[in-house]
Amino acid sequence: MSGHDIFISYCREERPVARRFAECFADEGFSVWWDAQLHSGETFDEVIERELRAAKAVVVLWSPRSVASRWVRAEATLADRDNKLVPIIIEPCNRPIIFELTHAAELAEWTGDTSEASYQTLIRDLRRMVGKTADAQAAATAAASPPPQAEPDAMPGSPVETAPSATEAKVNLVDPDELLRSLGRLSKAQESELAQPTPKEAEEAQFYKRADEYRAHEGDKVHCLERLAGGDVESSFVVTPAGLSIGRSAPSDIIVGGIGVSRAHCLVELAADQLRVSDLNSTNGTFIDDERVDRSAVLEVGSVLRIGNVLFKHEVRSRGDIQPGNDPADYGFNTGAREMRAAR
């Protein structure tokens, strides 16, 4: 299948950077495909895979965000397998270890000056790769094709097909919506609608916003209860200002089974940067360091709370050390991460 010279793989947040590279590559005479060319009604994953496999070179824009993208990693892996990977570092980052041994163009400081030596070196590398791939494809096509049949001479006045001009070839690069806008065929209402992010883009933007908020608070110190099993930590639960209720069944926040646990057993709350445990009239009592709690008592850091035969140790941890799903104040990031596993 004949494809474009270059396929650009990138993270959504680097869309303006991807556009800059796409336009500069087109100015160099390459035919370029990136997902701004997807049309309404197309199945995006099928189109992307088709264009990725058909392209002669795959340019991957590496950044801290694209490194974390499963889509970009997958596209880079497929390109590497087909020996057509051209990695570009657009922002300092730790690339996936499998790609660390592959030379990457360092263009983190590049602002679009096509005369820069680093950019010109990249263009030479692309020309060599595209030419090598094109020659291999042409040889394979020639081997598989029957000998060409002689064509009759064209009649006078008959139309003659000509190769597309450089300007026509570059039309592939244009975003269809921008092309319509430039021709004045979009109403103001349509332009306003196009200016709004798609539901997928809005969802991704919200996800990255939550991720940034979570990372900003990742080092915060929090009080937590660490459930012990055979001396090891089985799970951790952050104690928020709302407190944590512990019991045998819902609506308790932490549900534990076993002998001696009441339906609503006890409540653990924050009090002046300490933890206070209140027994909720449990049948068999609540214990701190093997001493029964009389109504309520302070649970010191390092002390062990016992409910039936279940043990919880009070520790102060960094929020980033808590297992996903056990931090009610995780800013929705871990929940969002699970929802976005199939996204870029």
Side-chain angles (χ1 to χ4, degrees), residues 6 12 21 74 133 206 257 265 341:
I6 299 173
R12 285 282 183 182
F21 275 102
T133 307
Q206 185 62 28
H265 199 103
R341 282 174 181 163

Side-chain angles (χ1 to χ4, degrees), residues 197-228:
T198 66
K200 181 178 178 62
E201 290 173 336
E203 183 183 10
E204 289 180 348
Q206 185 62 28
F207 168 73
Y208 288 115
K209 178 181 178 182
R210 291 197 301 265
D212 289 340
E213 291 175 347
Y214 182 74
R215 281 191 286 267
H217 293 272
E218 199 170 8
D220 291 355
K221 299 297 183 181
V222 292
H223 292 271
C224 60
L225 296 178
E226 296 187 339
R227 182 168 178 171
L228 304 178

Side-chain angles (χ1 to χ4, degrees), residues 28-40:
E28 297 287 346
F30 295 107
S31 62
V32 183
W33 193 94
W34 62 309
D35 60 11
Q37 295 170 258
L38 287 168
H39 297 276
S40 175

Side-chain angles (χ1 to χ4, degrees), residues 9-11 52 58 60-81 85 94-99 343-344:
S9 174
Y10 69 100
C11 176
L52 176 66
V58 177
V60 176
L61 305 182
W62 286 124
S63 72
R65 288 157 296 281
S66 63
V67 164
S69 167
R70 294 181 64 192
W71 271 100
V72 176
R73 284 173 177 255
E75 290 166 358
T77 299
L78 183 58
D80 186 52
R81 186 185 306 158
L85 174 64
N94 293 320
R95 286 177 288 160
I97 190 169
I98 192 174
F99 302 114
R344 275 186 92 78

Side-chain angles (χ1 to χ4, degrees), residues 41-339:
E42 292 182 320
T43 305
F44 78 96
D45 54 339
E46 294 179 358
V47 175
I48 288 175
E49 182 176 357
R50 182 182 70 234
E51 295 294 341
L52 176 66
R53 292 184 182 278
K56 301 178 180 68
V58 177
V59 168
V60 176
L61 305 182
W62 286 124
S63 72
R65 288 157 296 281
S66 63
V67 164
S69 167
R70 294 181 64 192
W71 271 100
V72 176
R73 284 173 177 255
E75 290 166 358
T77 299
L78 183 58
D80 186 52
R81 186 185 306 158
D82 292 342
N83 296 315
K84 56 185 180 181
L85 174 64
V86 182
I88 301 176
I89 297 177
I90 61 171
E91 189 176 332
C93 61
N94 293 320
R95 286 177 288 160
I97 190 169
I98 192 174
F99 302 114
E100 283 290 350
L101 297 179
T102 304
H103 172 72
E106 293 279 357
L107 292 175
E109 304 298 326
W110 187 65
T111 58
D113 183 359
T114 57
S115 65
E116 286 189 16
S118 56
Y119 176 79
Q120 286 301 317
T121 299
L122 169 66
I123 292 301
R124 287 194 293 272
D125 291 343
L126 281 170
R127 291 194 194 285
R128 281 195 296 270
M129 177 168 288
V130 168
K132 179 179 178 181
T133 307
D135 291 343
Q137 290 180 346
T141 301
S145 302
Q149 300 294 322
E151 295 289 340
D153 294 336
M155 296 294 293
S158 62
V160 178
E161 292 186 359
T162 60
S165 65
T167 301
E168 291 171 333
K170 287 170 59 178
V171 171
N172 284 330
L173 173 66
V174 179
D175 186 322
D177 295 330
E178 291 186 356
L179 182 60
L180 288 174
R181 187 184 293 107
S182 67
L183 295 174
R185 295 180 183 176
L186 290 179
S187 67
K188 290 185 177 180
Q190 288 173 316
E191 288 189 5
S192 176
E193 181 180 351
L194 289 173
Q196 300 299 318
T198 66
K200 181 178 178 62
E201 290 173 336
E203 183 183 10
E204 289 180 348
Q206 185 62 28
F207 168 73
Y208 288 115
K209 178 181 178 182
R210 291 197 301 265
D212 289 340
E213 291 175 347
Y214 182 74
R215 281 191 286 267
H217 293 272
E218 199 170 8
D220 291 355
K221 299 297 183 181
V222 292
H223 292 271
C224 60
L225 296 178
E226 296 187 339
R227 182 168 178 171
L228 304 178
D232 297 325
V233 177
E234 183 181 81
S235 55
S236 300
F237 302 90
V238 172
V239 182
T240 68
L244 286 176
S245 58
I246 304 175
R248 191 176 68 246
S249 61
S252 297
D253 298 309
I254 303 177
I255 298 176
V256 296
I259 299 172
V261 182
S262 298
R263 184 183 300 276
H265 199 103
C266 68
L267 177 65
V268 181
E269 300 174 288
L270 282 172
D273 202 34
Q274 291 183 312
L275 289 190
R276 177 170 293 278
V277 178
S278 300
D279 185 80
L280 301 177
N281 296 320
S282 64
T283 302
N284 296 286
T286 302
F287 296 82
I288 295 177
D289 294 335
D290 289 328
E291 291 189 11
R292 185 162 183 160
V293 173
D294 183 13
R295 304 182 75 177
S296 67
V298 172
L299 179 63
E300 300 287 353
V301 176
S303 292
V304 175
L305 171 67
R306 179 166 62 85
I307 300 167
N309 59 357
V310 180
L311 304 179
F312 293 94
K313 188 176 182 181
H314 175 198
E315 293 288 2
V316 175
R317 303 290 187 193
S318 294
R319 171 160 279 125
D321 296 333
I322 307 302
Q323 295 177 344
N326 291 334
D327 182 1
D330 71 351
Y331 303 92
F333 171 64
N334 288 309
T335 300
R338 290 190 292 273
E339 295 171 350

